[in-house]
């Protein structure tokens, strides 16, 4: 396991059965680039889902459809264009950037994919006000910094990361369909 994902697991333990299988060769073909090792390990351990029902992480390939399914990168990027009120065909603002998360306040986390080595990609946050803020870290370190307060001010959302809980989309869907509140602690 990537050391940053191991650190994240110490703060935000994945539940039993979390994680999503992804064909990483197909994902690289689809997106024109391989993905960072920390993200691949995050997907293996956690998969697509949500932290405290406020920060949703996406997947590069569609694994399920319908209500309660995980966000896909294409859907996340479309949200970015909508937020910036841009036409995808005419706007370079999101070229070379892949969105991997969205929060309940319409802030989005992206990778800046300019470096050919995905393990050196930095995290960019597109705020709901249309500003870009860069963090010199990858996805897992960003989540660790976000949850521990090492990254300040709070980069995403308006919720306190106290007692963070991650639910994979399948577990959230299972609980909802069983009539169980998936987020009773919130």
């Amino acid at each position: 396991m990537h050391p940053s994902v191991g650190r994240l697991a110490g703060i935000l333990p994945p539940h039993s059965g979390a994680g999503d299988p992804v064909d990483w060769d197909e994902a690289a073909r689809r997106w024109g680039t391989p993905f960072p090792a920390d993200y691949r390990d995050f997907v293996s351990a956690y998969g697509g889902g949500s932290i405290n029902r406020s920060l949703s992480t996406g997947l590069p390939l569609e694994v399920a459809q319908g209500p309660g399914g995980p966000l896909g990168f294409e859907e996340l990027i479309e949200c970015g264009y909508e937020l910036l009120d841009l036409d995808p065909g005419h706007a370079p603002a999101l070229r070379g950037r892949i969105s991997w998360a969205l929060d309940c306040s319409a802030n989005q986390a992206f990778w800046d994919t300019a470096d050919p080595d995905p393990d050196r990609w930095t995290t960019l946050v597109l705020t709901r006000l249309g500003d870009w803020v860069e963090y010199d870290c990858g996805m897992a370190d960003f989540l660790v910094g976000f949850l521990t307060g090492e990254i300040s001010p709070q980069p995403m959302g308006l919720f306190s990361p106290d007692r963070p809980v991650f639910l994979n989309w399948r577990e959230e869907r299972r609980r909802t369909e069983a009539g169980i509140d998936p987020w009773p602690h919130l």
Side-chain angles (χ1 to χ4, degrees):
M1 179 181 289
H2 190 279
S4 298
V5 177
R7 185 166 177 228
L8 180 63
I11 299 164
L12 182 72
H15 59 78
S16 178
D20 284 306
V22 170
D23 180 338
W24 292 109
D25 291 334
E26 176 61 21
R29 186 197 64 70
R30 162 65 186 87
W31 289 95
T33 183
F35 286 90
D38 67 333
Y39 176 71
R40 293 189 315 264
D41 285 353
F42 175 87
V43 169
S44 292
Y46 294 88
S50 178
I51 299 172
N52 287 15
R53 196 181 191 175
S54 297
L55 177 70
S56 297
T57 59
L59 297 172
L61 300 173
E62 188 175 286
V63 296
Q65 294 181 343
L71 291 172
F73 286 176
E74 289 176 348
E75 183 179 5
L76 288 167
I77 291 171
E78 286 175 18
C79 289
Y81 279 108
E82 288 176 16
L83 180 66
L84 294 173
D85 196 26
L86 298 173
D87 177 350
H90 298 98
L94 298 179
R95 288 192 195 125
R97 297 176 181 182
I98 299 172
S99 180
W100 54 266
L102 174 70
D103 76 6
C104 61
S105 299
N107 299 301
Q108 282 184 263
F110 286 77
W111 286 295
D112 180 349
T113 65
D115 194 305
D117 180 355
D119 291 324
R120 293 196 308 239
W121 291 353
T122 57
T123 298
L124 298 166
V125 171
L126 174 59
T127 72
R128 67 184 173 279
L129 302 175
D131 300 318
W132 289 98
V133 182
E134 184 170 7
Y135 297 88
D136 190 22
C137 59
M139 181 256 200
D141 285 333
F142 177 82
L143 291 175
V144 167
F146 168 68
L147 293 170
T148 62
E150 293 170 13
I151 293 178
S152 184
Q154 184 105 354
M156 303 272 298
L158 300 173
F159 71 95
S160 170
D162 293 340
R163 296 183 346 183
V165 173
F166 179 89
L167 282 184
N168 179 279
W169 65 273
R170 287 185 317 281
E171 179 62 13
E172 184 173 3
R173 180 187 278 177
R174 183 195 69 75
R175 291 180 186 185
T176 300
E177 289 173 352
I180 302 167
D181 180 358
W183 301 100
H185 70 289
L186 297 180

